[in-house]
Amino acid sequence: MDLRINSFDDYKRVYDYSVAEPENFWGSVADTFYWQKKWDKVLDWNFTEPNVKWFIGGKLNITENCLDRHLEKNADKTAMIWEPNDPEEHYRSFSYKELHFKVVQFANALKNNGAKKGDRICIYMPMVPELAIAVLACARIGAIHSVVFGGFSAQSIADRINDAQCNLVITADGGFRGSKDIPLKNIIDDAIVQCRSVNRIIVLTRTRTPVSMIKGRDVWWEDEIKKVETQGNPDCPAEPMDSEDPLFILYTSGSTGKPKGVVHTCGGYMVYTGYTFKTVFQYQPGEVHFCTADIGWITGHSYIVYGPLSQGATTLMFEGVPTWPDAGRFWDIVDKYKVNILYTAPTAIRSLMSFGEEPLQGKHLSSLTKLGSVGEPINEEAWHWYNEKIGKGKCPIVDTWWQTENSGILISPIAGITPTKPGYATLPLPGVQPCLVDEAGAELIGNGVSGNLCIKFPWPGIIRTTYGDHERCRLTYFSTYKNMYFTGDGCLRDEDGYYRITGRVDDVINVSGHRIGTAEVENAINMHADVVESAVVGYPHDIKGQGIYAYVILGTSTHDHDLTRRDILQTVARIIGAIAKPDKIQFVSGLPKTRSGKIMRRILRKIAEGDIANLGDTSTLLDPNVVEEIKQGAADL
Ligand code: WTA
């Protein structure tokens, strides 16, 4: 069977084959990778425990696929380009040979510091090449990386380090983002007070911010590299990994409790991210791929590091933000490096749109051939602007839907092949079997239906477990509907069979493409000394997609309300990070609760949306009067 997709008919043929013979399909895809030992069996699965295993018995190391295997023919090809935050600073670029050298070198530094297969290593770094090098070096020696986004607070880091029992942390003195310096090592120092498992911190020099270096625990990245040089830069053979050995943990928010550690494994993750990168973007040798995400999120893991490198692509990594020093920054980068594929988030597009045409003056953008969108629904206005102003009407847009739990893209057009429709993620990729179900769990057959989005057959990149708590994985994703993976998203399938994601149906909100659990924000707000109770909902926000709206009941303190509001914001920034700060805080004397004490979030959502005419039935409330007061307060806010 020829699995190449050069036309829409090819797509349909390959898709049908992948559903009829999933094991043969994925076996053939996996054959395009380098395995130390071939698998004995392609797949074993059930969604009840759940227990999903791909490429059983296979041995591999993902870094041999991302680095070593390109050395024979493409050693001098550019693997990675890095654009610094400050456009005046010199860029850096690495050929496959150079990147291989750096990864092996740092892998040896990790080993010199006692790291070994199976250890959990926390990485809290700015978007510099050493972040990608650290990630790959962990994979090289079989250590499990847990990358924490540089915007999270000390408390969030401590929670993640403790959950995974990391023994080593890799960080930097600080990081540059736009006009800000972020004191990463100081934040790590605050976190580590609560973390007994950590015995070594490797610190890269970036900002030269003063940091405390504790004897016997903290070492400089540069010194550790020197030691490896004096050892004569020995090779670091890639650790043989079982297909189902964990590759990494990445924490993500759900509707309840603290963020959970999503676990992905070596074989399936490699095959899925490599295949989807090549297929969705129709990557052609020599093209420059620019994914604007941070490596602290799944998009960066899969489409800055692993996916592009496993396919021998040139990946571009950017340290800064789209609006600094001005709102033309992305376009300067595109022109500077002749970027072909641009993969960004709707929130960035909307934000850049709001600056008008001026930042586009003098930018050519003529190298672009394909555009991608990820992380949240893209509204039609943003889609058209992206298409016309950036793609000049000649670049297909791939609106890619997927999640941290999925490893890679599940529903998306294939660039230049699937006819697109603004706002639609269109059709499932080969090997992906989505379905829509109603509240009772019955599958909705046919087109022109909407319901909850589930996937009824495993794909190689599906979540294997939540670290240290398999039951939580089962409850969250596999217990709502029998024999299905539940995504948490609502979805419409139109008359053409095209999928349109309508947003989360649970208590997860998507702020600027970042996933935040309302329960997490409530817990953080409730930590404030004057707060009795709170309820957090999302509401439509012009730039961020969704904003955070908090209803807060205060105690008897006589503090000024405006000061208290600021203190609450500060508390949330301390407990979670600045990304979780509410956009609006409304003080209320009560919350709409049912007689059994459950908060009716539906009503709070409507009020936050400003849709007060349609509050629905409020007669079951314990005290319907609070609704009037909240409506009034919202209008005054
Ligand atoms: C949302 C990011 C609409 C969705 C890769 C999902 C999207 C959540 C899209 C996962 C899209 C992601 N259209 N919604 N193209 N892509 N989402 O884990 O609600 O950070 O469940 O993964 O983002 O967010 P996560």
Side-chain angles (χ1 to χ4, degrees), residues 328-362:
R329 190 67 196 277
F330 274 2
W331 324 131
D332 288 334
I333 296 173
V334 168
D335 284 350
K336 183 169 172 186
Y337 303 104
K338 309 240 176 315
V339 168
N340 305 107
I341 307 170
L342 176 67
Y343 189 31
T344 194
T347 186
I349 298 169
R350 288 190 297 264
S351 150
L352 295 174
M353 252 170 85
S354 73
F355 288 87
E357 304 259 324
E358 205 274 326
L360 285 162
Q361 297 301 316

Side-chain angles (χ1 to χ4, degrees), residues 4-5 33 35 43 149 294 308 405 440 459 517 523 593 637:
R4 280 173 301 182
I5 299 179
F33 291 80
W35 298 79
L43 172 66
F149 173 62
D294 191 290
E405 295 85 345
W459 64 99
N523 287 338
K593 289 188 179 172
L637 200 65

Side-chain angles (χ1 to χ4, degrees), residues 252 298-299 373-378 399-405 425 487 489 501 503-504 510 513 515:
T252 192
I298 192 70
T299 308
S373 170
V374 59
E376 38 168 336
I378 180 165
D399 175 1
T400 64
W401 172 82
W402 58 295
Q403 315 174 292
T404 304
E405 295 85 345
T487 65
D489 279 314
I501 312 301
R504 302 284 307 197
N510 197 324
R515 243 168 99 167

